Amino acid sequence: MSVSRDMMATSDRSFVNVVVDLPKELAADVEDVRRRDPEFLGRAIQYVLARRIIFEELTARASERR
C-alpha cells in the first residue's frame, strides 16, 4: 500500500465531526491543545489513522500468507 501526495491534496479533503468519550482530565487537556493549536489535533488524528490503516494492511497480508 502506498499513499501518494496527490491523495493528500486539499481538494480531496472533507471535514468530519468526531465525538469521543474521554476521562474529564484528558478531555480538558485536549480542549486546551485545541484552543492553542487547532491544526495539531487534525494532524495527530491523520497520523493515528494512517498508522491504523498501515497496521490493518500488514495484518491482512500476513494472514493471507498463512
Side-chain angles (χ1 to χ4, degrees):
M1 179 176 104
S2 65
V3 177
S4 69
R5 281 188 141 347
D6 295 335
M7 290 178 64
M8 300 302 287
T10 304
S11 62
D12 292 342
R13 295 181 184 182
S14 39
F15 290 96
V16 177
N17 289 322
V18 178
V19 177
V20 181
D21 185 21
L22 299 172
K24 288 183 181 183
E25 298 83 19
L26 181 56
D29 289 343
V30 170
E31 273 300 312
D32 185 48
V33 169
R34 187 186 63 80
R35 277 191 295 274
R36 285 185 286 127
D37 187 359
E39 291 182 13
F40 173 78
L41 287 179
R43 291 189 310 268
I45 291 169
Q46 286 176 348
Y47 173 77
V48 169
L49 290 174
R51 286 183 56 103
R52 180 65 185 193
I53 290 166
I54 292 167
F55 173 80
E56 289 175 356
E57 180 72 20
L58 293 173
T59 303
R61 288 182 184 186
S63 66
E64 287 174 2
R65 283 189 236 136
R66 291 182 190 165

